[in-house]
Amino acid sequence: VHRGHVLEDAYHAMGPHKSNVDVRKRVRIAFINEFGEQEAGIDGGGVFKEFLESVIKESTSLDVGLFKSTMDNKLYPSPMESSSTTDHLKKIEFVGLMVGKAVWEGILLELPLAPFFLKKFRGAQPDVDDLPSLDPEMAKNLQYLIENPTSISDLGLTFSITETIQGTPRDIELVPGGSSIVVTTANVAHFLHRVANFKLNEQIKAPCDYFLRGFHAIIPKEWVASFNDSELQMLIGGVEGDMKLDLTDLENNVVYSGGYSHEHPVIKNFWRALHSMSKSQLSDFLRFVTSCPRPPILGFSSLEPPLTIQMVAHEDTNTAERLPTAATCINLLKLPPYDSADVLLTKLLYAIESHAGFDLS
């Protein structure tokens, strides 16, 4: 796959139209650089992880048009427009396939999905109670109608809704003949449910169906049928919530290389530094090293490959001036042997909070 065109190359090589490709089997990836040459190295798992992350990042960019974002930056498949094509839907199916592959391989993704969309993974239909997770302002306005029925007649509402499609406003009937049915105090509850059903189900039915077809090709629906929305999100992206990172679990499962060991003075300073960090700083650290700010749902013993801390030092370079770097594709932190705890903490915080010193070497 060519860097900068990962989604297109991956789709054409592994998409749903390639019936002879079994994505559940091991997939090896080779990147082509800007000069058209294959990058050196053998894919032992790390390159595929980088590939998956690149596919998800590229496909969920709002500029691509496959996904939309709620007000709280949760993603869901973009509603269908008249310009949407089968190729557009097949790409959404491919993204679902890649998310399923990530779950299958235990690879965490930075992919926050909208709760109403997650509800569909187990075959459930979102309803009016789920509308705030899509559009809290609309939910608030509709609830106002229920609580203030005397104002309904002044609004001139009908069982239709106006949607902008390709820049042009269009009236869509929520029920047959809806543009001629006036909303009254007697039918306002039914109106609310019809609006919610259109926004949460009808408008996005095709893209959601295609995404889930891809996902369930790897992860059968019955495997996730008993999961709630939060558990599904954890399965895809790791443990969320207000709990601080379990440093004991992390420390028990870290691998050292390049001369470091658990008893090395720099490593002792490293763990002191992590214990002094806030929850948000620890999330930034985890993102810096693994590309995901949340720990694995089954703990760090399930992280593959394991988080590794490697000593890096060059005789011609002042170690104190160098920043830690990371290779997220193999969960590797390259940590110079700083001679004091203060310098280590300062350099590590600078690197993880500004994303400076990041590389893929």
Side-chain angles (χ1 to χ4, degrees), residues 61-127:
S61 169
L62 301 185
D63 294 333
V64 173
L66 297 179
F67 289 82
K68 292 193 72 173
S69 175
T70 63
M71 291 180 64
D72 58 349
N73 299 315
K74 301 296 177 67
L75 297 166
Y76 63 97
S78 183
M80 286 290 291
E81 294 192 2
S82 58
S83 61
S84 297
T85 63
T86 301
D87 184 62
H88 176 97
L89 291 171
K90 285 291 186 181
K91 284 182 179 175
I92 292 179
E93 182 179 355
F94 176 65
V95 177
L97 189 72
M98 292 295 97
V99 174
K101 176 66 171 175
V103 172
W104 179 270
E105 298 289 346
I107 296 173
L108 299 180
L109 299 172
E110 182 64 7
L111 184 65
L113 297 176
F116 74 88
F117 176 46
L118 286 165
K119 192 172 184 177
K120 295 175 181 287
F121 279 57
R122 59 181 186 271
Q125 281 276 89
D127 54 31

Side-chain angles (χ1 to χ4, degrees), residues 99 103 107-109 111-124 211-212 215-216 219-240 294 297:
V99 174
V103 172
I107 296 173
L108 299 180
L109 299 172
L111 184 65
L113 297 176
F116 74 88
F117 176 46
L118 286 165
K119 192 172 184 177
K120 295 175 181 287
F121 279 57
R122 59 181 186 271
F211 181 98
L212 293 173
F215 182 82
H216 291 314
I219 307 295
K221 185 189 296 184
E222 54 268 24
W223 288 9
V224 295
S226 61
F227 284 57
N228 62 32
D229 307 341
S230 298
E231 290 166 342
L232 276 169
Q233 184 62 66
M234 284 194 290
L235 192 66
I236 294 167
V239 179
E240 291 185 305
R294 294 176 296 277
I297 190 170

Side-chain angles (χ1 to χ4, degrees), residues 14 49 76-77 84 124 148 166 169 176 189 197 199 248 258 266 295 329 344:
M14 302 165 56
K49 177 175 181 283
Y76 63 97
S84 297
N148 299 273
Q166 291 185 288
N197 184 63
K199 300 293 288 187
T248 301
V266 173
C329 63
L344 189 152

Side-chain angles (χ1 to χ4, degrees), residues 228-268:
N228 62 32
D229 307 341
S230 298
E231 290 166 342
L232 276 169
Q233 184 62 66
M234 284 194 290
L235 192 66
I236 294 167
V239 179
E240 291 185 305
D242 297 327
M243 292 179 61
K244 198 171 182 179
L245 185 66
D246 187 345
L247 291 175
T248 301
D249 180 40
L250 176 59
E251 189 171 356
N252 288 339
N253 291 284
V254 158
V255 173
Y256 302 104
S257 69
Y260 281 145
S261 68
H262 186 71
E263 298 301 321
H264 196 285
V266 173
I267 294 301
K268 290 184 177 295

